[in-house]
């Protein structure tokens, strides 16, 4: 039985997170889900309706989990590291829209 590595900080977790998202289509699905989630969050603020936040959670995780289970064929890090994974999803989204993701993937050893 192999021992699982523990990631204590977000900095330690980030390269692992990127390696778990090595498939470009999986990253695309994450981007779509996070974009839809952002639209739900903004709608929640504009229309003062907290129920829209459920749409944000559902859309964000639906696309991400499809990417993991059917494309990447790995277990979402959310199950082990929910907060670090959530924060890393937004970090990956930010790096994608700012054109910096390629550099981050390269540093993590993702081709």
């Amino acid at each position: 039985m192999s021992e699982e590595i523990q990631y204590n900080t977000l900095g330690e977790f980030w390269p692992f997170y990127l390696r778990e998202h090595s498939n470009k289509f999986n990253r695309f699905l994450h981007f779509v889900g996070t974009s839809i989630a952002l639209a739900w969050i903004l709608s929640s603020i504009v229309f003062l309706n907290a129920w829209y936040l459920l749409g944000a959670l559902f859309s964000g995780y639906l696309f991400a989990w499809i990417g993991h289970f059917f494309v990447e064929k790995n277990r979402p890090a959310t199950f082990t590291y929910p907060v670090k994974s959530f924060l890393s999803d937004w970090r990956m989204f930010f790096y994608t829209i700012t054109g910096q993701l390629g550099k981050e993937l390269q540093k993590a050893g993702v081709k």
Side-chain angles (χ1 to χ4, degrees):
M1 184 159 66
S2 66
E3 218 175 284
E4 187 174 318
I5 297 172
Q6 288 293 109
Y7 299 102
N8 297 314
T9 68
L10 194 55
E12 293 173 352
F13 178 76
W14 178 240
F16 163 76
Y17 176 88
L18 290 176
R19 289 188 297 273
E20 293 292 296
H21 297 81
S22 62
N23 184 290
K24 190 173 187 173
F25 189 64
N26 183 29
R27 292 193 304 270
F28 171 75
L29 289 172
H30 276 66
F31 184 82
V32 169
T34 302
S35 297
I36 295 170
L38 185 57
W40 277 112
I41 293 166
L42 294 174
S43 295
S44 176
I45 294 167
V46 168
F47 297 109
L48 301 175
N49 188 335
W51 287 104
Y52 289 174
L53 296 175
L54 290 176
L57 281 173
F58 179 77
S59 61
Y61 284 114
L62 174 69
F63 282 87
W65 290 356
I66 288 171
H68 284 289
F69 290 123
F70 299 108
V71 177
E72 200 87 53
K73 297 189 184 349
N74 62 16
R75 186 174 180 262
T78 298
F79 298 152
T80 308
Y81 298 97
V83 174
K84 289 177 180 74
S85 180
F86 179 80
L87 294 172
S88 294
D89 283 340
W90 287 100
R91 186 175 180 181
M92 184 168 68
F93 180 80
F94 173 77
Y95 282 139
T96 299
I97 63 173
T98 60
Q100 300 175 66
L101 186 60
K103 181 177 66 173
E104 292 295 312
L105 290 167
Q106 188 176 22
K107 284 194 292 189
V110 178
K111 298 184 188 248

